[in-house]
Amino acid sequence: MKETPLSNCERRFLLRAVQERKRLDGRQCYDYRNVRISFGADYGCCIVELGKTRVLGQVSCELVPPKPNRAAEGILFFNLELSPMAAPAFEPGRQSELLVKLNRLIERCLRNSKCIDTESLCVVAGEKVWQIRVDLHLLNHDGNIIDAASIAGIVALCHFRRPDVSVQGEEITVYTPEERDPVPLSIHHMPICVSFAFFEQGTYLLVDPSEREERVMDGLLVIAMNKHREICTIQSSGGIMLLKDQVLRCSKITAVKVAEITELIQKALENDQKVRKEGGKFGFAESIPNQKITAFKMERAAVDTKDVEEQAEEIITKADPPSEVFTKPILHTPGTAQIGEGIENAWGDLEESEREEAAEEEGETDATAFECQQMEMEDTITSCRSLYNFFFFFKDEPIVLSDSEEEEVVILEPQDVPRKTRTQANLKQENTSKKTLNKKRKKKRAAH
Amino acid sequence: MAALELLSDEGYRVDGRRAAELRKVRARMGVFAQADGSAYIEQGNTKALAVVYGPHEMRGSRSKALHDRALVNCQYSMATFSTSERKRRPHGDRKSSEMTLHLKQTFEAAILTQLYPRSQIDIYVQILQADGGNYCACVNAATLAVIDAGIPMRDYVCASSAGFVEDTPLADLSYVEEAAGGPQVALALLPASEHIALLEMNARLHEDRLEEVIEAASRACKAVHAVLDRVVRDHVQEATAL
């Protein structure tokens, strides 16, 4: 299916985050996600997880006649497949541009850099050589496929054991694993790809972009290096304009990252070797945690709770005190009482009897009083109180209502802070001090 | 191949050039009447032909049209007689597809595509003789063709390859030097701003040497720029002299 386009607000959000040097998963600009390597039961099979991006690598070998112009060298064949299970946009037979790009990059990184000694793969020059085939399958796409694939490729090659072979004259004997132990491939060095995503015409740079970051990036620079600080491949893509010093800076960062990742790979290989030797259980079944079959567990994130108390104290002292809640009962009519006021009724002016109107009026004024509490945050408690008391006092006196739809008369008296309240009728009381006009609300009410 | 000396003691390469010397560049613009823009370039023995059509309406699927930019559609193909052994698949194999992608990426960055929304610019490049520096010759030819077509670009896009032998960077590699397996860098540069439109490197090179090699490639690109600029000015002068 077609890839869901990224919404503009998400794009803007991601770009803003990059500008403020923040990433969605909380990493720093130059941080890698967690790399997990697990091996299968067979030699040459491994799964590499870079964050949530998962690549399966499988190495197999076969005896074939060599290429005519390279008669004494073995053949290396790389194939990266974007499985439809990795992302909804991947379909078998589509997305060929990305596929070509990734495949060529893997080929150049692992084959042209001569990390495997191909001459050692020769059995009989001109007749039989080993063809090593590396199949990489992307199982889940969460950004930065190329890094995960390059790690999977080189780890699978390091892990692989080919059958032992002996040549007597014209006869070639291939020994089964039971007869003779399989032989590892001779690997000169381990090239690892590191990807850099560029944003805003090269101003901002992120290492190991996640899938969302990849969608909004301007371009990508991939540098493949080994731990001896030899660059194996550089590839810039996406049409960004780079400067020479940006490239040099990236290569320095790559050196650091590659050293870390190579160490991780060595440890993983050693662990697996140890487990197999000691006769322990190995394989994918063992590396999947016992809780879930799908093995998609969340990484535990450490939360720093050292200064939580101080922060909480700070917030409390700086914050405004909450507004008072009046719990005095309001008496509408004898026999009924109400504590607190609900939300104001927005049904509009109702033509009712005077008494109901009066009651309503009181209710409304009470409501307005309550509302103005809600609307005015910064008012002091005393003014609230006084207004409320005022209304209580006001309740006992006769109210003259007018049917006029005209806007109310505002009687401002310089007593207290003018408040936003609403009046329904002309109030003859002189104590109507803090009533300011709130035309909008009146109109809104009229509109209902 | 081990006996082949890429750089002699006196500092001469296999074809008699010095380490920083480029091959002879000959170029012509406007070689085809039908196309909007066309150019032919020879860099030493490498011969490349580029043809540009556009900007025109989207052909094929309208859905691929970009609402705010022009789409740059490239095709790179090598003639079957271009290499020493007959090439069975002129285009469609992985290496050609990769070259096509690189060309597309380079020119999307250089052409002012914002001026032609919802349209398409086609760039077809054909290698007639491949003697090293295929990608670079393609880029140079395509630059001339785009200029011939009158499509506005940010700057000339000049490309050159560079290698590294015995502590000396070599500029503009020929096929023999490429096949020897040493490190090689292909660089596409916009000379005025020194922006790198494409950087590609193969084979192992120590990190400390990277700067030297990129520097050598940049200087070669600037030299190519001088030549291409001369060609364009001469062509325009010829065309307006009538």
PDB file of all heavy atoms in Angstrom, chain A residues 97 104 107-108 229-237 239-240 242 244, chain B residues 94 98 101-102 105 109 196 199-205 207-208 215:
ATOM      1  N   GLU A  97      13.725   1.716  -5.749  1.00  0.00           N
ATOM      2  CA  GLU A  97      14.792   2.711  -5.634  1.00  0.00           C
ATOM      3  C   GLU A  97      15.534   2.556  -4.324  1.00  0.00           C
ATOM      4  O   GLU A  97      16.772   2.514  -4.286  1.00  0.00           O
ATOM      5  CB  GLU A  97      14.162   4.103  -5.713  1.00  0.00           C
ATOM      6  CG  GLU A  97      15.061   5.155  -6.239  1.00  0.00           C
ATOM      7  CD  GLU A  97      14.348   6.497  -6.302  1.00  0.00           C
ATOM      8  OE1 GLU A  97      13.678   6.742  -7.307  1.00  0.00           O
ATOM      9  OE2 GLU A  97      14.480   7.262  -5.339  1.00  0.00           O
ATOM     10  N   ARG A 104      23.297  -1.660  -3.038  1.00  0.00           N
ATOM     11  CA  ARG A 104      24.602  -1.217  -3.548  1.00  0.00           C
ATOM     12  C   ARG A 104      25.484  -0.760  -2.406  1.00  0.00           C
ATOM     13  O   ARG A 104      26.690  -0.987  -2.416  1.00  0.00           O
ATOM     14  CB  ARG A 104      24.391  -0.058  -4.541  1.00  0.00           C
ATOM     15  CG  ARG A 104      23.985  -0.502  -5.921  1.00  0.00           C
ATOM     16  CD  ARG A 104      25.044  -1.301  -6.604  1.00  0.00           C
ATOM     17  NE  ARG A 104      26.275  -0.541  -6.773  1.00  0.00           N
ATOM     18  CZ  ARG A 104      27.480  -1.075  -6.926  1.00  0.00           C
ATOM     19  NH1 ARG A 104      27.625  -2.375  -6.910  1.00  0.00           N
ATOM     20  NH2 ARG A 104      28.533  -0.314  -7.080  1.00  0.00           N
ATOM     21  N   GLU A 107      26.798  -3.804  -0.674  1.00  0.00           N
ATOM     22  CA  GLU A 107      27.804  -4.450  -1.520  1.00  0.00           C
ATOM     23  C   GLU A 107      29.115  -3.702  -1.446  1.00  0.00           C
ATOM     24  O   GLU A 107      30.175  -4.301  -1.268  1.00  0.00           O
ATOM     25  CB  GLU A 107      27.325  -4.427  -2.975  1.00  0.00           C
ATOM     26  CG  GLU A 107      26.745  -5.728  -3.455  1.00  0.00           C
ATOM     27  CD  GLU A 107      26.311  -5.622  -4.906  1.00  0.00           C
ATOM     28  OE1 GLU A 107      27.000  -4.935  -5.685  1.00  0.00           O
ATOM     29  OE2 GLU A 107      25.281  -6.225  -5.222  1.00  0.00           O
ATOM     30  N   ARG A 108      29.044  -2.380  -1.585  1.00  0.00           N
ATOM     31  CA  ARG A 108      30.292  -1.609  -1.585  1.00  0.00           C
ATOM     32  C   ARG A 108      30.948  -1.661  -0.220  1.00  0.00           C
ATOM     33  O   ARG A 108      32.166  -1.759  -0.119  1.00  0.00           O
ATOM     34  CB  ARG A 108      30.004  -0.169  -1.984  1.00  0.00           C
ATOM     35  CG  ARG A 108      29.852  -0.027  -3.476  1.00  0.00           C
ATOM     36  CD  ARG A 108      29.163   1.242  -3.836  1.00  0.00           C
ATOM     37  NE  ARG A 108      29.811   2.364  -3.211  1.00  0.00           N
ATOM     38  CZ  ARG A 108      29.221   3.526  -3.005  1.00  0.00           C
ATOM     39  NH1 ARG A 108      28.005   3.700  -3.393  1.00  0.00           N
ATOM     40  NH2 ARG A 108      29.873   4.504  -2.429  1.00  0.00           N
ATOM     41  N   ARG A 229      40.144   2.769  11.872  1.00  0.00           N
ATOM     42  CA  ARG A 229      39.932   4.107  11.340  1.00  0.00           C
ATOM     43  C   ARG A 229      40.190   4.201   9.842  1.00  0.00           C
ATOM     44  O   ARG A 229      40.674   5.210   9.346  1.00  0.00           O
ATOM     45  CB  ARG A 229      40.759   5.141  12.113  1.00  0.00           C
ATOM     46  CG  ARG A 229      40.257   5.291  13.539  1.00  0.00           C
ATOM     47  CD  ARG A 229      41.010   6.311  14.309  1.00  0.00           C
ATOM     48  NE  ARG A 229      40.887   7.600  13.677  1.00  0.00           N
ATOM     49  CZ  ARG A 229      41.903   8.444  13.535  1.00  0.00           C
ATOM     50  NH1 ARG A 229      43.095   8.108  13.976  1.00  0.00           N
ATOM     51  NH2 ARG A 229      41.733   9.598  12.962  1.00  0.00           N
ATOM     52  N   GLU A 230      39.914   3.126   9.157  1.00  0.00           N
ATOM     53  CA  GLU A 230      39.998   3.183   7.706  1.00  0.00           C
ATOM     54  C   GLU A 230      38.581   3.314   7.165  1.00  0.00           C
ATOM     55  O   GLU A 230      37.711   2.513   7.498  1.00  0.00           O
ATOM     56  CB  GLU A 230      40.628   1.907   7.152  1.00  0.00           C
ATOM     57  CG  GLU A 230      42.107   1.798   7.440  1.00  0.00           C
ATOM     58  CD  GLU A 230      42.634   0.444   7.046  1.00  0.00           C
ATOM     59  OE1 GLU A 230      41.835  -0.503   7.000  1.00  0.00           O
ATOM     60  OE2 GLU A 230      43.832   0.347   6.786  1.00  0.00           O
ATOM     61  N   ILE A 231      38.401   4.306   6.312  1.00  0.00           N
ATOM     62  CA  ILE A 231      37.071   4.514   5.751  1.00  0.00           C
ATOM     63  C   ILE A 231      36.870   3.531   4.603  1.00  0.00           C
ATOM     64  O   ILE A 231      37.705   3.447   3.701  1.00  0.00           O
ATOM     65  CB  ILE A 231      36.917   5.944   5.236  1.00  0.00           C
ATOM     66  CG1 ILE A 231      37.166   6.929   6.371  1.00  0.00           C
ATOM     67  CG2 ILE A 231      35.544   6.164   4.663  1.00  0.00           C
ATOM     68  CD1 ILE A 231      37.074   8.349   5.931  1.00  0.00           C
ATOM     69  N   CYS A 232      35.783   2.794   4.650  1.00  0.00           N
ATOM     70  CA  CYS A 232      35.529   1.818   3.590  1.00  0.00           C
ATOM     71  C   CYS A 232      34.595   2.362   2.523  1.00  0.00           C
ATOM     72  O   CYS A 232      34.741   2.050   1.350  1.00  0.00           O
ATOM     73  CB  CYS A 232      34.920   0.552   4.200  1.00  0.00           C
ATOM     74  SG  CYS A 232      35.954  -0.126   5.475  1.00  0.00           S
ATOM     75  N   THR A 233      33.638   3.145   2.916  1.00  0.00           N
ATOM     76  CA  THR A 233      32.700   3.704   1.945  1.00  0.00           C
ATOM     77  C   THR A 233      32.178   5.018   2.475  1.00  0.00           C
ATOM     78  O   THR A 233      31.968   5.172   3.674  1.00  0.00           O
ATOM     79  CB  THR A 233      31.490   2.763   1.754  1.00  0.00           C
ATOM     80  OG1 THR A 233      31.951   1.496   1.346  1.00  0.00           O
ATOM     81  CG2 THR A 233      30.525   3.283   0.717  1.00  0.00           C
ATOM     82  N   ILE A 234      31.983   5.970   1.580  1.00  0.00           N
ATOM     83  CA  ILE A 234      31.229   7.176   1.924  1.00  0.00           C
ATOM     84  C   ILE A 234      30.164   7.328   0.859  1.00  0.00           C
ATOM     85  O   ILE A 234      30.430   7.122  -0.323  1.00  0.00           O
ATOM     86  CB  ILE A 234      32.100   8.448   1.918  1.00  0.00           C
ATOM     87  CG1 ILE A 234      33.232   8.329   2.907  1.00  0.00           C
ATOM     88  CG2 ILE A 234      31.271   9.659   2.253  1.00  0.00           C
ATOM     89  CD1 ILE A 234      34.052   9.576   2.994  1.00  0.00           C
ATOM     90  N   GLN A 235      28.986   7.644   1.282  1.00  0.00           N
ATOM     91  CA  GLN A 235      27.933   7.872   0.309  1.00  0.00           C
ATOM     92  C   GLN A 235      27.019   8.968   0.806  1.00  0.00           C
ATOM     93  O   GLN A 235      26.451   8.840   1.883  1.00  0.00           O
ATOM     94  CB  GLN A 235      27.120   6.581   0.114  1.00  0.00           C
ATOM     95  CG  GLN A 235      25.989   6.709  -0.862  1.00  0.00           C
ATOM     96  CD  GLN A 235      26.493   6.921  -2.264  1.00  0.00           C
ATOM     97  OE1 GLN A 235      27.283   6.150  -2.773  1.00  0.00           O
ATOM     98  NE2 GLN A 235      26.059   7.991  -2.898  1.00  0.00           N
ATOM     99  N   SER A 236      26.888  10.017   0.022  1.00  0.00           N
ATOM    100  CA  SER A 236      25.939  11.051   0.396  1.00  0.00           C
ATOM    101  C   SER A 236      24.720  10.878  -0.491  1.00  0.00           C
ATOM    102  O   SER A 236      24.839  10.566  -1.673  1.00  0.00           O
ATOM    103  CB  SER A 236      26.522  12.441   0.204  1.00  0.00           C
ATOM    104  OG  SER A 236      26.524  12.779  -1.156  1.00  0.00           O
ATOM    105  N   SER A 237      23.540  11.051   0.063  1.00  0.00           N
ATOM    106  CA  SER A 237      22.333  10.853  -0.744  1.00  0.00           C
ATOM    107  C   SER A 237      21.278  11.838  -0.314  1.00  0.00           C
ATOM    108  O   SER A 237      21.341  12.406   0.773  1.00  0.00           O
ATOM    109  CB  SER A 237      21.814   9.435  -0.585  1.00  0.00           C
ATOM    110  OG  SER A 237      21.449   9.202   0.731  1.00  0.00           O
ATOM    111  N   GLY A 239      20.429  14.604  -1.987  1.00  0.00           N
ATOM    112  CA  GLY A 239      20.521  15.926  -2.600  1.00  0.00           C
ATOM    113  C   GLY A 239      20.834  17.033  -1.632  1.00  0.00           C
ATOM    114  O   GLY A 239      20.430  18.174  -1.830  1.00  0.00           O
ATOM    115  N   ILE A 240      21.545  16.770  -0.582  1.00  0.00           N
ATOM    116  CA  ILE A 240      21.958  17.866   0.310  1.00  0.00           C
ATOM    117  C   ILE A 240      23.276  18.407  -0.180  1.00  0.00           C
ATOM    118  O   ILE A 240      24.067  17.693  -0.758  1.00  0.00           O
ATOM    119  CB  ILE A 240      22.164  17.387   1.754  1.00  0.00           C
ATOM    120  CG1 ILE A 240      22.479  15.897   1.788  1.00  0.00           C
ATOM    121  CG2 ILE A 240      21.010  17.757   2.612  1.00  0.00           C
ATOM    122  CD1 ILE A 240      23.229  15.494   2.982  1.00  0.00           C
ATOM    123  N   LEU A 242      26.734  19.510   0.949  1.00  0.00           N
ATOM    124  CA  LEU A 242      27.615  19.382   2.104  1.00  0.00           C
ATOM    125  C   LEU A 242      28.826  20.268   1.933  1.00  0.00           C
ATOM    126  O   LEU A 242      29.175  20.668   0.842  1.00  0.00           O
ATOM    127  CB  LEU A 242      28.105  17.932   2.220  1.00  0.00           C
ATOM    128  CG  LEU A 242      27.070  16.887   2.531  1.00  0.00           C
ATOM    129  CD1 LEU A 242      27.698  15.525   2.448  1.00  0.00           C
ATOM    130  CD2 LEU A 242      26.514  17.111   3.919  1.00  0.00           C
ATOM    131  N   LYS A 244      33.034  20.506   3.021  1.00  0.00           N
ATOM    132  CA  LYS A 244      34.108  19.557   3.289  1.00  0.00           C
ATOM    133  C   LYS A 244      34.286  19.348   4.787  1.00  0.00           C
ATOM    134  O   LYS A 244      34.469  18.222   5.245  1.00  0.00           O
ATOM    135  CB  LYS A 244      35.399  20.070   2.664  1.00  0.00           C
ATOM    136  CG  LYS A 244      36.501  19.031   2.633  1.00  0.00           C
ATOM    137  CD  LYS A 244      37.732  19.564   1.993  1.00  0.00           C
ATOM    138  CE  LYS A 244      38.452  20.473   2.944  1.00  0.00           C
ATOM    139  NZ  LYS A 244      39.792  20.843   2.479  1.00  0.00           N
TER     140      LYS A 244
ATOM    141  N   ARG B  94      22.076  -3.373 -11.453  1.00  0.00           N
ATOM    142  CA  ARG B  94      22.182  -2.624 -10.205  1.00  0.00           C
ATOM    143  C   ARG B  94      23.095  -1.425 -10.289  1.00  0.00           C
ATOM    144  O   ARG B  94      22.788  -0.353  -9.778  1.00  0.00           O
ATOM    145  CB  ARG B  94      22.689  -3.554  -9.097  1.00  0.00           C
ATOM    146  CG  ARG B  94      21.576  -4.212  -8.372  1.00  0.00           C
ATOM    147  CD  ARG B  94      22.073  -4.915  -7.165  1.00  0.00           C
ATOM    148  NE  ARG B  94      21.075  -5.840  -6.685  1.00  0.00           N
ATOM    149  CZ  ARG B  94      21.309  -6.745  -5.765  1.00  0.00           C
ATOM    150  NH1 ARG B  94      22.512  -6.860  -5.250  1.00  0.00           N
ATOM    151  NH2 ARG B  94      20.348  -7.532  -5.353  1.00  0.00           N
ATOM    152  N   GLU B  98      22.057   2.447  -9.717  1.00  0.00           N
ATOM    153  CA  GLU B  98      22.681   3.278  -8.697  1.00  0.00           C
ATOM    154  C   GLU B  98      23.180   4.584  -9.287  1.00  0.00           C
ATOM    155  O   GLU B  98      22.986   5.654  -8.725  1.00  0.00           O
ATOM    156  CB  GLU B  98      23.845   2.522  -8.057  1.00  0.00           C
ATOM    157  CG  GLU B  98      24.301   3.151  -6.779  1.00  0.00           C
ATOM    158  CD  GLU B  98      25.675   2.678  -6.366  1.00  0.00           C
ATOM    159  OE1 GLU B  98      26.353   2.056  -7.185  1.00  0.00           O
ATOM    160  OE2 GLU B  98      26.042   2.946  -5.224  1.00  0.00           O
ATOM    161  N   LEU B 101      20.349   6.907  -9.847  1.00  0.00           N
ATOM    162  CA  LEU B 101      19.915   7.549  -8.611  1.00  0.00           C
ATOM    163  C   LEU B 101      20.850   8.680  -8.229  1.00  0.00           C
ATOM    164  O   LEU B 101      20.420   9.755  -7.802  1.00  0.00           O
ATOM    165  CB  LEU B 101      19.906   6.526  -7.480  1.00  0.00           C
ATOM    166  CG  LEU B 101      18.726   5.587  -7.442  1.00  0.00           C
ATOM    167  CD1 LEU B 101      18.918   4.583  -6.333  1.00  0.00           C
ATOM    168  CD2 LEU B 101      17.454   6.355  -7.209  1.00  0.00           C
ATOM    169  N   HIS B 102      22.144   8.445  -8.400  1.00  0.00           N
ATOM    170  CA  HIS B 102      23.101   9.478  -8.020  1.00  0.00           C
ATOM    171  C   HIS B 102      22.961  10.700  -8.897  1.00  0.00           C
ATOM    172  O   HIS B 102      23.022  11.838  -8.426  1.00  0.00           O
ATOM    173  CB  HIS B 102      24.530   8.937  -8.118  1.00  0.00           C
ATOM    174  CG  HIS B 102      24.837   7.946  -7.047  1.00  0.00           C
ATOM    175  ND1 HIS B 102      25.926   7.120  -7.078  1.00  0.00           N
ATOM    176  CD2 HIS B 102      24.191   7.642  -5.915  1.00  0.00           C
ATOM    177  CE1 HIS B 102      25.929   6.359  -6.009  1.00  0.00           C
ATOM    178  NE2 HIS B 102      24.895   6.659  -5.282  1.00  0.00           N
ATOM    179  N   GLN B 105      19.873  12.587  -7.904  1.00  0.00           N
ATOM    180  CA  GLN B 105      20.071  13.299  -6.649  1.00  0.00           C
ATOM    181  C   GLN B 105      20.909  14.546  -6.871  1.00  0.00           C
ATOM    182  O   GLN B 105      20.599  15.617  -6.350  1.00  0.00           O
ATOM    183  CB  GLN B 105      20.760  12.334  -5.696  1.00  0.00           C
ATOM    184  CG  GLN B 105      21.337  12.946  -4.479  1.00  0.00           C
ATOM    185  CD  GLN B 105      22.340  11.992  -3.870  1.00  0.00           C
ATOM    186  OE1 GLN B 105      22.181  10.782  -3.917  1.00  0.00           O
ATOM    187  NE2 GLN B 105      23.371  12.536  -3.290  1.00  0.00           N
ATOM    188  N   ALA B 109      19.401  18.640  -6.635  1.00  0.00           N
ATOM    189  CA  ALA B 109      19.957  19.630  -5.725  1.00  0.00           C
ATOM    190  C   ALA B 109      20.393  20.880  -6.469  1.00  0.00           C
ATOM    191  O   ALA B 109      20.339  21.977  -5.926  1.00  0.00           O
ATOM    192  CB  ALA B 109      21.148  19.027  -4.985  1.00  0.00           C
ATOM    193  N   ILE B 196      29.155  20.396  -1.747  1.00  0.00           N
ATOM    194  CA  ILE B 196      29.319  19.073  -2.330  1.00  0.00           C
ATOM    195  C   ILE B 196      27.939  18.503  -2.613  1.00  0.00           C
ATOM    196  O   ILE B 196      27.145  18.310  -1.694  1.00  0.00           O
ATOM    197  CB  ILE B 196      30.076  18.154  -1.354  1.00  0.00           C
ATOM    198  CG1 ILE B 196      31.461  18.707  -1.094  1.00  0.00           C
ATOM    199  CG2 ILE B 196      30.164  16.752  -1.911  1.00  0.00           C
ATOM    200  CD1 ILE B 196      32.210  17.948  -0.029  1.00  0.00           C
ATOM    201  N   LEU B 199      29.041  12.866  -2.814  1.00  0.00           N
ATOM    202  CA  LEU B 199      30.352  12.350  -2.427  1.00  0.00           C
ATOM    203  C   LEU B 199      30.238  10.845  -2.336  1.00  0.00           C
ATOM    204  O   LEU B 199      29.388  10.321  -1.649  1.00  0.00           O
ATOM    205  CB  LEU B 199      30.763  12.935  -1.073  1.00  0.00           C
ATOM    206  CG  LEU B 199      32.045  12.386  -0.468  1.00  0.00           C
ATOM    207  CD1 LEU B 199      33.222  12.707  -1.331  1.00  0.00           C
ATOM    208  CD2 LEU B 199      32.250  12.986   0.901  1.00  0.00           C
ATOM    209  N   GLU B 200      31.114  10.175  -3.052  1.00  0.00           N
ATOM    210  CA  GLU B 200      31.041   8.726  -3.071  1.00  0.00           C
ATOM    211  C   GLU B 200      32.445   8.199  -2.951  1.00  0.00           C
ATOM    212  O   GLU B 200      33.354   8.693  -3.604  1.00  0.00           O
ATOM    213  CB  GLU B 200      30.440   8.307  -4.414  1.00  0.00           C
ATOM    214  CG  GLU B 200      30.028   6.879  -4.504  1.00  0.00           C
ATOM    215  CD  GLU B 200      29.636   6.529  -5.914  1.00  0.00           C
ATOM    216  OE1 GLU B 200      29.117   7.401  -6.612  1.00  0.00           O
ATOM    217  OE2 GLU B 200      29.880   5.377  -6.300  1.00  0.00           O
ATOM    218  N   MET B 201      32.640   7.213  -2.106  1.00  0.00           N
ATOM    219  CA  MET B 201      33.984   6.679  -1.941  1.00  0.00           C
ATOM    220  C   MET B 201      33.942   5.176  -1.876  1.00  0.00           C
ATOM    221  O   MET B 201      33.042   4.606  -1.267  1.00  0.00           O
ATOM    222  CB  MET B 201      34.612   7.219  -0.666  1.00  0.00           C
ATOM    223  CG  MET B 201      36.104   7.244  -0.781  1.00  0.00           C
ATOM    224  SD  MET B 201      36.896   7.222   0.776  1.00  0.00           S
ATOM    225  CE  MET B 201      36.918   5.491   1.054  1.00  0.00           C
ATOM    226  N   ASN B 202      34.919   4.556  -2.486  1.00  0.00           N
ATOM    227  CA  ASN B 202      35.005   3.099  -2.455  1.00  0.00           C
ATOM    228  C   ASN B 202      36.370   2.690  -1.987  1.00  0.00           C
ATOM    229  O   ASN B 202      37.339   3.396  -2.164  1.00  0.00           O
ATOM    230  CB  ASN B 202      34.795   2.535  -3.861  1.00  0.00           C
ATOM    231  CG  ASN B 202      33.374   2.671  -4.302  1.00  0.00           C
ATOM    232  OD1 ASN B 202      32.473   2.536  -3.509  1.00  0.00           O
ATOM    233  ND2 ASN B 202      33.190   2.970  -5.568  1.00  0.00           N
ATOM    234  N   ALA B 203      36.426   1.537  -1.420  1.00  0.00           N
ATOM    235  CA  ALA B 203      37.673   0.883  -0.986  1.00  0.00           C
ATOM    236  C   ALA B 203      38.306   1.619   0.186  1.00  0.00           C
ATOM    237  O   ALA B 203      37.973   2.747   0.493  1.00  0.00           O
ATOM    238  CB  ALA B 203      38.649   0.742  -2.147  1.00  0.00           C
ATOM    239  N   ARG B 204      39.246   0.994   0.807  1.00  0.00           N
ATOM    240  CA  ARG B 204      39.714   1.491   2.094  1.00  0.00           C
ATOM    241  C   ARG B 204      40.645   2.678   1.981  1.00  0.00           C
ATOM    242  O   ARG B 204      41.571   2.694   1.177  1.00  0.00           O
ATOM    243  CB  ARG B 204      40.437   0.363   2.817  1.00  0.00           C
ATOM    244  CG  ARG B 204      39.483  -0.572   3.502  1.00  0.00           C
ATOM    245  CD  ARG B 204      40.215  -1.545   4.350  1.00  0.00           C
ATOM    246  NE  ARG B 204      41.082  -2.377   3.567  1.00  0.00           N
ATOM    247  CZ  ARG B 204      41.957  -3.222   4.108  1.00  0.00           C
ATOM    248  NH1 ARG B 204      42.062  -3.283   5.409  1.00  0.00           N
ATOM    249  NH2 ARG B 204      42.715  -3.950   3.337  1.00  0.00           N
ATOM    250  N   LEU B 205      40.396   3.654   2.843  1.00  0.00           N
ATOM    251  CA  LEU B 205      41.253   4.824   2.894  1.00  0.00           C
ATOM    252  C   LEU B 205      41.318   5.235   4.347  1.00  0.00           C
ATOM    253  O   LEU B 205      40.298   5.310   5.016  1.00  0.00           O
ATOM    254  CB  LEU B 205      40.631   5.949   2.062  1.00  0.00           C
ATOM    255  CG  LEU B 205      41.358   7.280   2.065  1.00  0.00           C
ATOM    256  CD1 LEU B 205      42.641   7.171   1.299  1.00  0.00           C
ATOM    257  CD2 LEU B 205      40.487   8.350   1.452  1.00  0.00           C
ATOM    258  N   GLU B 207      41.333   7.430   7.579  1.00  0.00           N
ATOM    259  CA  GLU B 207      40.564   8.635   7.863  1.00  0.00           C
ATOM    260  C   GLU B 207      41.399   9.904   7.736  1.00  0.00           C
ATOM    261  O   GLU B 207      40.914  10.944   7.279  1.00  0.00           O
ATOM    262  CB  GLU B 207      40.009   8.513   9.283  1.00  0.00           C
ATOM    263  CG  GLU B 207      38.996   9.564   9.618  1.00  0.00           C
ATOM    264  CD  GLU B 207      38.867   9.744  11.110  1.00  0.00           C
ATOM    265  OE1 GLU B 207      39.226   8.810  11.839  1.00  0.00           O
ATOM    266  OE2 GLU B 207      38.436  10.816  11.525  1.00  0.00           O
ATOM    267  N   ASP B 208      42.660   9.816   8.109  1.00  0.00           N
ATOM    268  CA  ASP B 208      43.492  11.020   8.059  1.00  0.00           C
ATOM    269  C   ASP B 208      43.741  11.487   6.640  1.00  0.00           C
ATOM    270  O   ASP B 208      44.054  12.645   6.417  1.00  0.00           O
ATOM    271  CB  ASP B 208      44.846  10.752   8.731  1.00  0.00           C
ATOM    272  CG  ASP B 208      44.673  10.352  10.183  1.00  0.00           C
ATOM    273  OD1 ASP B 208      43.659  10.756  10.768  1.00  0.00           O
ATOM    274  OD2 ASP B 208      45.537   9.638  10.710  1.00  0.00           O
ATOM    275  N   GLU B 215      40.306  17.279  -1.077  1.00  0.00           N
ATOM    276  CA  GLU B 215      40.917  18.516  -1.552  1.00  0.00           C
ATOM    277  C   GLU B 215      41.385  18.374  -2.995  1.00  0.00           C
ATOM    278  O   GLU B 215      41.149  19.256  -3.829  1.00  0.00           O
ATOM    279  CB  GLU B 215      42.102  18.839  -0.627  1.00  0.00           C
ATOM    280  CG  GLU B 215      42.596  20.254  -0.630  1.00  0.00           C
ATOM    281  CD  GLU B 215      41.539  21.287  -0.672  1.00  0.00           C
ATOM    282  OE1 GLU B 215      40.690  21.296   0.231  1.00  0.00           O
ATOM    283  OE2 GLU B 215      41.539  22.082  -1.622  1.00  0.00           O
TER     284      GLU B 215
END
